[in-house]
Amino acid sequence: MLQGRKILLVIGGGIAAYKCLDLIRRLAERGAGVTPVLTRAAQEFVTPLSVAALSGRKVYTDLFDLTDEAEMGHIQLSREADLVVVAPATADLLAKMAGGQANDLATTLLMATDKRVLVAPAMNVRMWEHPATQRNVKTLQSDGVLFTGPNEGDMACGEFGPGRMSEPLEIVAAIEAALSGGPLKGKHILVTSGPTHEPIDPVRYIANRSSGAQGTAVAEALAGLGARVTFVTGPADADRPVGVDVIEVETAREMLAAVEGALPADAAVFAAAVADWRMASETSSKIKKDSSGRVPELELTENPDILKTVAHMGRGRPPLVVGFAAETDDVIANAAAKRERKGCDWIVANDVSPETGIMGGDENAVTLITAEGQESWPRLSKVEVARRLAARIAEAL
Ligand code: CTP
């Protein structure tokens, strides 16, 4: 699948630069054309001559090489590739990219390109874990930059931990994935996530323990398979997913309005823990303590059921509607009944009893219930549950 694809490979200045020679060879074997660009620091680790020999191409090294500018300007160089790959992406290069600097050929190309950028970070573990680097990674991810690695292991500097560059074959796989577009390309999928907050008065609200972690992971997994994702979230603790359209809401009614506004969709996944009740009447004044010690009685009314509303839509119903069932007792039987009652196609049942640690935790143990039957998955990270679910959705659409 890489036959004839054009890769602009920016080689940064790190000890892992030597692995790029193997990467170029692997890409060439698969028929890809690699145009290499070496930063000044990279030239301390690999020579332009060896890179040119392996790639069979001219190696670009300096923005101010007037001959190159006459032959091919940096704008053209950055545009004619199908994908820009930065390997190794050093802490310095990531910082420059996140800050939008363009003070040499490599960073200018990265600013000028209109193509996707995949980076393979490589650095000392402390540099990788430094808050500045982590901040830059987050910025770049939200700009849509793709990452492969870093891996964990022994490092050239003698320390151990995350910071090793992905192996050449892992980078090749990431390049293939980035260029394939994914099985959900062209599909629009709606995901709800997080809790909702239902105001009691201007300072208090009804909420629940949902962190939004599972919904976030589902949105990212679907986006990773190429879907256009609209993510409607309540006030969740989890970081917002990257590469998706995020709509922030507070209450169940706002969530329903945002969901209806985001349709049509090819599929909808309802991972939100929507509050079932809200105050029957709204008050704009803070409820005060009564000197007699009388406790206020909160009169509640039921919130709209967003999943049920969408699942029962006639025209405009997404072809695949997936709900989650948070249960503490008779998990499978209750979830199966919930699937029927709500009218959704699939339901992902999970046991949220406190002893499972699932609500607010990083792991989930789910059973996928469909019209055809049920399938229990082992206890997995929420990210892995999301990947499996996204893969099933991709098969079904
Ligand atoms: N859901 C929804 N709108 C609501 C309540 C729930 O969209 N007002 C969705 C959730 O996002 C989830 C599914 O319905 O996909 C089931 O949610 P859950 O909390 O397990 O069930 P409830 O409908 O609240 O039923 P119960 O509280 O009786 O278990």
Side-chain angles (χ1 to χ4, degrees):
M1 75 146 296
L2 290 180
Q3 187 66 41
R5 305 311 291 267
K6 296 188 206 122
I7 312 289
L8 183 68
L9 176 65
V10 175
I11 304 178
I15 187 75
Y18 79 91
K19 287 191 194 170
C20 282
L21 300 176
D22 191 28
L23 175 63
I24 293 170
R25 198 170 60 81
R26 305 280 186 177
L27 289 168
E29 275 169 10
R30 288 163 175 76
V34 180
T35 302
V37 176
L38 267 72
T39 65
R40 194 180 298 265
Q43 294 169 57
E44 305 288 336
F45 295 93
V46 284
T47 67
L49 196 60
S50 49
V51 173
L54 276 165
S55 65
R57 302 262 175 128
K58 178 176 172 52
V59 177
Y60 294 84
T61 53
D62 196 336
L63 177 56
F64 300 106
D65 184 330
L66 290 176
T67 335
D68 289 347
E69 281 294 306
E71 277 173 23
M72 182 189 281
H74 58 272
I75 301 286
Q76 193 190 341
L77 193 56
S78 73
R79 302 277 166 88
E80 66 151 36
D82 296 311
L83 183 73
V84 181
V85 177
V86 186
T90 59
D92 177 60
L93 210 38
L94 292 178
K96 284 181 173 153
M97 288 171 72
Q101 288 189 33
N103 54 8
D104 61 8
L105 178 61
T107 50
T108 304
L109 291 171
L110 286 160
M111 282 288 280
T113 189
D114 57 354
K115 299 298 171 5
R116 296 203 86 175
V117 177
L118 169 75
V119 300
M123 67 196 73
N124 167 271
V125 55
R126 294 226 189 289
M127 292 173 77
W128 172 252
E129 285 171 350
H130 194 284
T133 303
Q134 289 304 309
R135 228 175 14 247
N136 293 332
V137 168
K138 278 216 169 78
T139 302
L140 291 169
Q141 284 176 332
S142 61
D143 290 345
V145 171
L146 304 167
F147 278 72
T148 167
N151 294 344
E152 202 165 276
D154 287 321
M155 311 198 59
C157 52
E159 292 185 33
F160 180 88
R164 281 169 65 96
M165 189 170 85
S166 292
E167 294 304 319
L169 283 178
E170 291 174 309
I171 301 177
V172 168
I175 291 171
E176 284 176 340
L179 289 173
S180 72
L184 289 173
K185 193 168 180 218
K187 304 287 183 195
H188 176 217
I189 304 187
L190 180 70
V191 179
T192 70
S193 182
T196 62
H197 285 183
E198 310 296 332
I200 294 172
D201 67 11
V203 294
R204 306 177 178 98
Y205 56 81
I206 302 170
N208 60 62
R209 294 184 198 281
S210 167
S211 64
Q214 188 63 81
T216 298
V218 169
E220 280 185 347
L222 291 166
L225 295 184
R228 176 168 75 81
V229 177
T230 303
F231 181 74
V232 181
T233 179
D237 288 340
D239 286 340
R240 302 298 176 251
V242 293
V244 313
D245 294 329
V246 177
I247 303 177
E248 305 266 354
V249 298
E250 185 110 358
T251 66
R253 284 181 296 171
E254 287 170 8
M255 188 173 272
L256 175 61
V259 163
E260 287 175 335
L263 293 174
D266 297 287
V269 181
F270 294 87
V274 184
D276 290 314
W277 303 283
R278 66 174 187 277
M279 291 286 281
S281 54
E282 288 175 21
T283 165
S284 55
S285 310
K286 184 181 171 200
I287 303 171
K288 301 293 285 178
K289 277 201 292 276
D290 190 324
S291 55
S292 68
R294 205 169 53 86
V295 178
E297 278 182 17
L298 304 183
E299 197 192 328
L300 301 178
T301 186
E302 202 162 307
N303 264 329
D305 190 318
I306 305 165
L307 168 61
K308 197 170 177 181
T309 308
V310 172
H312 283 91
M313 283 170 82
R315 261 167 51 121
R317 180 194 192 275
L320 180 64
V321 176
V322 183
F324 272 72
E327 307 291 345
T328 51
D329 306 287
D330 292 333
V331 177
I332 307 297
N334 275 332
K338 203 172 264 181
R339 191 185 80 83
E340 300 277 342
R341 202 166 61 243
K342 303 247 185 186
C344 54
D345 303 299
W346 300 353
I347 204 148
V348 182
N350 53 1
D351 183 347
V352 292
S353 311
E355 62 275 15
T356 65
I358 283 172
M359 199 92 167
D362 295 331
E363 293 183 335
N364 210 349
V366 308
T367 300
L368 179 66
I369 304 176
T370 68
E372 284 74 46
Q374 63 188 57
E375 192 183 298
S376 291
W377 298 348
R379 193 175 169 110
L380 300 164
S381 70
K382 288 185 175 173
V383 170
E384 191 51 38
V385 168
R387 286 206 187 115
R388 287 195 183 201
L389 184 62
R392 294 298 293 265
I393 291 172
E395 275 170 31
L397 291 185

